[in-house]
Amino acid sequence: MKVDDALLEKLTTALGNAYVPYSDHPVASVMETPDGEQFVGCNVEVAHYKGVCAEGSAISAMVTSGHRTLARVFVMGPGEHLCTPCGDCRQRIREFATPTTEIHVIARDGEILKSYTLQTLLPDAFGPEQLPPR
Ligand SMILES: [Zn+2]
């Protein structure tokens, strides 16, 4: 099963815009809210190696626009391998995910390689519930 052409275009464009002079491993991501709005991100590396992942970039764009809930997450890496979110990004997704949030890893041609829930990617995740009430 493939994603629709508009989403594929967003992912492909972001992948092409990724700034990855150190790893040469571009990644693109789209965060979709429950109302269907989509926010795009790519990874941005810097010389001291503390760059921003594509997922973090897209989540920042979503939050900047005032959204706080993820319905669907899409991640596309440079090849046909499974480019799953890194541990740090799994925690970032956790912050805005619900039990029904879908996380899809996409091939360059738009094929959905594998789909996850947060529970499968980050079981028993630490979250705001573990912090003292404010
Ligand atoms: Zn990451």
mmCIF file of all heavy atoms in Angstrom, residues 53 55 85-86 88-89, ligand 1:
data_model
loop_
_atom_site.group_PDB
_atom_site.id
_atom_site.type_symbol
_atom_site.label_atom_id
_atom_site.label_comp_id
_atom_site.label_asym_id
_atom_site.label_seq_id
_atom_site.Cartn_x
_atom_site.Cartn_y
_atom_site.Cartn_z
ATOM 1 N N CYS A 53 16.565 15.828 14.155
ATOM 2 C CA CYS A 53 16.004 14.771 13.311
ATOM 3 C C CYS A 53 14.795 15.303 12.535
ATOM 4 O O CYS A 53 14.178 16.300 12.927
ATOM 5 C CB CYS A 53 15.550 13.590 14.160
ATOM 6 S SG CYS A 53 16.880 12.657 14.931
ATOM 7 N N GLU A 55 11.850 14.005 12.386
ATOM 8 C CA GLU A 55 10.643 13.935 13.205
ATOM 9 C C GLU A 55 10.578 15.114 14.175
ATOM 10 O O GLU A 55 9.526 15.722 14.361
ATOM 11 C CB GLU A 55 10.592 12.617 13.987
ATOM 12 C CG GLU A 55 10.570 11.383 13.113
ATOM 13 C CD GLU A 55 11.968 10.829 12.843
ATOM 14 O OE1 GLU A 55 12.915 11.623 12.636
ATOM 15 O OE2 GLU A 55 12.112 9.595 12.834
ATOM 16 N N PRO A 85 11.938 5.800 13.583
ATOM 17 C CA PRO A 85 12.373 6.918 14.430
ATOM 18 C C PRO A 85 13.412 6.445 15.455
ATOM 19 O O PRO A 85 13.303 5.347 16.004
ATOM 20 C CB PRO A 85 11.076 7.348 15.129
ATOM 21 C CG PRO A 85 9.982 6.888 14.223
ATOM 22 C CD PRO A 85 10.481 5.618 13.608
ATOM 23 N N CYS A 86 14.410 7.283 15.704
ATOM 24 C CA CYS A 86 15.425 6.966 16.713
ATOM 25 C C CYS A 86 14.786 7.035 18.103
ATOM 26 O O CYS A 86 13.641 7.467 18.266
ATOM 27 C CB CYS A 86 16.616 7.928 16.602
ATOM 28 S SG CYS A 86 16.288 9.599 17.220
ATOM 29 N N ASP A 88 15.319 8.979 20.627
ATOM 30 C CA ASP A 88 14.968 10.339 21.021
ATOM 31 C C ASP A 88 13.650 10.763 20.367
ATOM 32 O O ASP A 88 12.781 11.355 21.012
ATOM 33 C CB ASP A 88 16.106 11.278 20.616
ATOM 34 C CG ASP A 88 16.022 12.619 21.301
ATOM 35 O OD1 ASP A 88 15.634 12.668 22.483
ATOM 36 O OD2 ASP A 88 16.363 13.624 20.651
ATOM 37 N N CYS A 89 13.491 10.445 19.109
ATOM 38 C CA CYS A 89 12.258 10.832 18.402
ATOM 39 C C CYS A 89 11.062 10.010 18.872
ATOM 40 O O CYS A 89 9.938 10.516 18.883
ATOM 41 C CB CYS A 89 12.449 10.704 16.901
ATOM 42 S SG CYS A 89 13.498 12.022 16.253
HETATM 43 ZN ZN ZN B 1 15.439 10.981 15.700
#
